[in-house]
Amino acid sequence: MDYREELMIKPGSKVRLADIDPGFHGHHESHERAMPELGETLGEITRLQEMLYAEKKHALLVVLQGIDAAGKDGVCWHVIQAMNPQGTAVTGFKQPSHEELAHDFLWRIHKKVPGLGQVGVFNRSHYEDVLVVRVHKLVPKHVWEMRYEAINAFEKGLTKAGVSIVKFFLYISKEEQLERFKRRLDDPARRWKISESDYSERALWDDYVEAYEAMLSNCSTKEAPWYVLPSNHKWFRNLAASNIILETLRAMDMKAPEPTVDIDAIRAKYHEAEKEG
């Protein structure tokens, strides 16, 4: 099944997250039932990423944004694992440095955009500059409002240069977030994920929802649409993300490049070496 149409935010639409069910899991009844499809999908991603690397005519940028504990790291672990590390780079954009603050907000982003033949994953991205800065009032309203247009122009330019952009907003319910916080507290192996900001940011839930809705409404474009991934079920989140990545790679219509050597001459050398043992 192709989840692009079902989970895409239509360009120009007004988003209300309250109308989206974070517990949606499509026609799949359970994790166990979905696993065979996920395995097949990841295997096909591996094959097509190798083609992407060889052909070097396209690039793929995967953008991950989401409410705390929604599973951005989980997508990296369970979906991006299908990618060959030699052609993949994961970047997390957190609080900017003094040098980065001395430039426009997209300066640090552009340097990490994947080149042709490469896959780039942004685990948090340029969208932090219309989310965190808005919620915490780090810049005036007129500054972050102008950034929507700048982001759309930036992404349109990337697509014209051969970069396909897949943007995932991982959406969980407030109740599911608290349950995941509890599991972190109860499991010593997960306690390293606990942050001082977990509950202070949770207190701003409504403000973040408003900021996410504006982000989705203003920046889902024909060139780079947003997909809202219902993420209460981790297995469905991974399945839907891998499905959309696979269909995006398929749409590139890639072909293996022609060899750069004389195959007949190389074959003759092979047969000669074979005779010599």
Side-chain angles (χ1 to χ4, degrees):
M1 180 177 180
D2 186 348
Y3 278 110
R4 289 180 298 176
E5 185 67 23
E6 188 161 6
L7 301 181
M8 179 193 296
I9 297 299
K10 303 298 185 292
S13 62
K14 181 72 173 177
V15 177
R16 289 186 72 253
L17 288 175
D19 296 334
I20 298 174
D21 178 11
F24 175 78
H25 50 80
H27 67 278
H28 307 279
E29 296 178 5
S30 66
H31 182 195
E32 291 71 26
R33 293 287 184 90
M35 281 302 291
E37 182 177 336
L38 178 60
E40 291 175 8
T41 301
L42 293 178
E44 186 65 4
I45 287 175
T46 299
R47 185 185 72 81
L48 288 176
Q49 192 237 340
E50 182 178 3
M51 190 75 71
L52 177 85
Y53 184 80
E55 190 186 47
K56 289 183 170 55
K57 291 184 178 179
H58 309 270
L60 175 65
L61 174 60
V62 179
V63 175
L64 302 173
Q65 291 288 159
I67 293 169
D68 287 343
K72 297 180 292 296
D73 291 342
V75 172
C76 290
W77 278 109
H78 298 289
V79 178
I80 308 305
Q81 65 163 316
M83 310 283 191
N84 185 335
Q86 186 172 344
T88 309
V90 179
T91 305
F93 292 97
K94 299 187 184 298
Q95 185 173 344
S97 67
H98 290 299
E99 180 185 19
E100 290 166 344
L101 286 171
H103 294 79
D104 72 276
F105 78 102
L106 289 170
W107 179 78
R108 65 175 182 158
I109 309 297
H110 212 153
K111 296 190 296 182
K112 298 296 184 179
V113 171
L116 297 181
Q118 301 289 310
V119 177
V121 181
F122 288 174
N123 186 349
R124 297 187 186 271
S125 67
H126 41 302
Y127 285 97
E128 293 294 291
D129 287 287
V130 293
L131 293 169
V132 174
V133 298
R134 170 180 174 162
V135 171
H136 288 279
K137 299 179 174 58
L138 301 179
V139 298
K141 180 179 180 180
H142 74 272
V143 173
W144 56 256
E145 278 190 328
M146 291 189 298
R147 289 175 175 173
Y148 298 129
E149 183 178 354
I151 288 172
N152 290 342
F154 170 66
E155 293 178 348
K156 185 175 183 178
L158 293 184
T159 61
K160 287 182 178 294
V163 182
S164 293
I165 305 173
V166 177
K167 301 185 298 192
F168 292 133
F169 171 62
L170 280 56
Y171 181 43
I172 58 174
S173 66
K174 197 171 184 180
E175 295 75 21
E176 176 64 19
Q177 184 193 58
L178 191 60
E179 176 59 30
R180 292 183 185 184
F181 286 172
K182 179 180 184 300
R183 288 200 290 269
R184 291 177 181 180
L185 285 169
D186 293 344
D187 184 353
R190 296 186 184 185
R191 288 177 185 165
W192 65 271
K193 292 184 177 182
I194 297 173
S195 168
E196 288 281 354
S197 66
D198 285 346
Y199 295 93
S200 60
E201 292 297 279
R202 179 178 165 82
L204 299 170
W205 181 278
D206 291 342
D207 294 329
Y208 271 108
V209 166
E210 185 177 343
Y212 283 124
E213 289 175 340
M215 173 193 79
L216 296 167
S217 299
N218 284 286
C219 295
S220 191
T221 63
K222 177 183 176 182
E223 293 81 11
W226 273 104
Y227 299 95
V228 175
L229 295 187
S231 298
N232 274 10
H233 299 286
K234 296 178 181 180
W235 58 267
F236 179 76
R237 174 202 70 203
N238 296 336
L239 178 64
S242 63
N243 174 274
I244 292 169
I245 289 172
L246 174 58
E247 295 303 330
T248 302
L249 288 168
R250 283 176 172 165
M252 295 178 186
D253 193 25
M254 296 176 287
K255 295 178 176 60
E258 294 296 322
T260 58
V261 297
D262 185 330
I263 294 298
D264 291 335
I266 295 297
R267 183 175 285 113
K269 290 181 178 179
Y270 163 76
H271 288 308
E272 186 177 324
E274 187 180 36
K275 288 177 183 178
E276 292 175 354

